[in-house]
Amino acid sequence: MTAGSTELRADCSRCFGLCCVAPGFSASADFAIDKPAGQPCPHLRTDFRCAIHDRLRPRSFPGCAAYDCFGAGQQVSQVTFGGRDWRSSPALAGRMFRALPVMRQLHELLWHLTEALSLPPATPLHDALRRAYQQTLRFTDLPPDQLLALDLATHRRPVTDLLRRASALARAGADPAPDLAGADLVGRDLRAADLAGACLRGAHLIGADLRDADLRLADLTGADLRGAELAGADLTTSIFLTQAQLDAGNGDATTRLPPSLTRPAHWLAGAP
């Protein structure tokens, strides 16, 4: 697997609509309705595809539009459960739905480990990163009961530490930058801000104005970019940025992106 590979990108044609059933959500700015966990969304068709997929944002489902399973959906559907779906095999439903978030976390770790292995300054950590990658990859092939019994928190801790160290090495060459990990930057005016090399891990950037900001080598692991304005921002070498984060924000043709990610269609369409 690689960060740009099919295995780490969602392929809804090979999934049984798991993200439309397994998670629960409440009516909010991200979702138009309440939906209990384990209950199919009313827009899920019998072929496991979304009936309003091309209209999610206008229909007030931006949370669905920005969701990314990193390919976990098709892995659970086609590998973990061998192509058996929850409708024709209802006895599997509960385990399938519980397996999705576990597999998603494993696939997200694989995505970040792949990126860490692409960072030349992190070369001293590459052997350890490869071992972590291979161990994580083995977990994705576990049968259902073993997957659900996996102590994911214990596995995540050393992997997260490795990713932090890789980030620090990658950002070491940048000018001194602020440590804004977990910072509350909701709605903050950060236009043209020099955030190159900044640590923004877990930062709350909902609705922040990041137009023309320099975010090169900024660590954006888990940063909440919902509604953030990214027009003109330079994200070309941002670290651990995901497609879901971009999809949750608002950019345009002037936003500079890493080569592994794509410009969200709603940016160019001018959709909110």
Side-chain angles (χ1 to χ4, degrees):
M1 291 185 183
T2 64
S5 74
T6 301
E7 291 85 352
L8 294 180
R9 291 187 184 275
D11 181 353
C12 297
S13 69
R14 297 169 57 213
C15 177
F16 299 131
L18 297 183
C19 69
C20 303
V21 187
F25 48 76
S26 299
S28 64
D30 292 318
F31 303 102
I33 59 174
D34 294 323
K35 190 193 81 64
Q39 178 176 306
C41 173
H43 299 295
L44 183 65
R45 303 187 316 208
T46 56
D47 63 355
F48 301 110
R49 304 305 291 271
C50 175
I52 61 167
H53 188 265
D54 60 344
R55 307 184 302 281
L56 284 169
R57 293 180 186 279
R59 295 289 293 271
S60 300
F61 285 91
C64 294
Y67 178 79
D68 185 1
C69 74
F70 296 96
Q74 67 255 28
Q75 180 73 10
V76 170
S77 298
Q78 302 301 329
V79 179
T80 311
F81 288 89
R84 295 172 293 170
D85 71 79
W86 52 271
R87 277 192 174 130
S88 60
S89 302
L92 300 178
R95 287 190 297 162
M96 289 190 81
F97 301 156
R98 294 196 303 275
L100 178 65
V102 177
M103 190 66 74
R104 185 188 182 280
Q105 289 185 66
L106 291 172
H107 275 224
E108 185 174 16
L109 286 177
L110 289 173
W111 179 281
H112 290 321
L113 285 165
T114 300
E115 180 172 348
L117 283 164
S118 74
L119 300 173
T123 298
L125 297 176
H126 279 190
D127 286 345
L129 288 165
R130 289 190 191 95
R131 289 193 296 271
Y133 181 95
Q134 290 302 322
Q135 183 181 24
T136 305
L137 187 62
R138 285 193 294 272
F139 287 153
T140 67
D141 286 327
L142 289 174
D145 290 341
Q146 292 183 40
L147 179 69
L148 292 173
L150 182 64
D151 187 348
L152 194 54
T154 296
H155 175 63
R156 285 186 69 97
R157 278 192 290 271
V159 177
T160 299
D161 180 63
L162 270 176
L163 294 173
R164 288 179 187 273
R165 291 163 59 194
S167 170
L169 288 172
R171 293 182 292 114
D175 291 333
D179 184 348
L180 297 168
D184 182 357
L185 301 170
V186 175
R188 189 72 61 88
D189 185 351
L190 295 168
R191 283 174 293 180
D194 182 2
L195 294 169
C199 180
L200 288 161
R201 297 177 68 92
H204 303 283
L205 289 156
I206 302 171
D209 190 344
L210 289 160
R211 286 176 292 176
D212 299 314
D214 186 351
L215 289 157
R216 289 174 298 170
L217 292 178
D219 186 339
L220 291 166
T221 307
D224 193 338
L225 294 172
R226 283 178 293 168
E229 297 297 334
L230 299 167
D234 191 345
L235 296 151
T236 49
T237 56
S238 295
I239 301 170
F240 303 139
L241 176 67
T242 67
Q243 189 66 47
Q245 288 171 298
L246 287 181
D247 291 345
N250 300 315
D252 62 14
T254 67
T255 309
R256 285 161 282 181
L257 304 179
S260 62
L261 301 178
T262 59
R263 198 173 307 277
H266 74 278
W267 287 12
L268 302 181

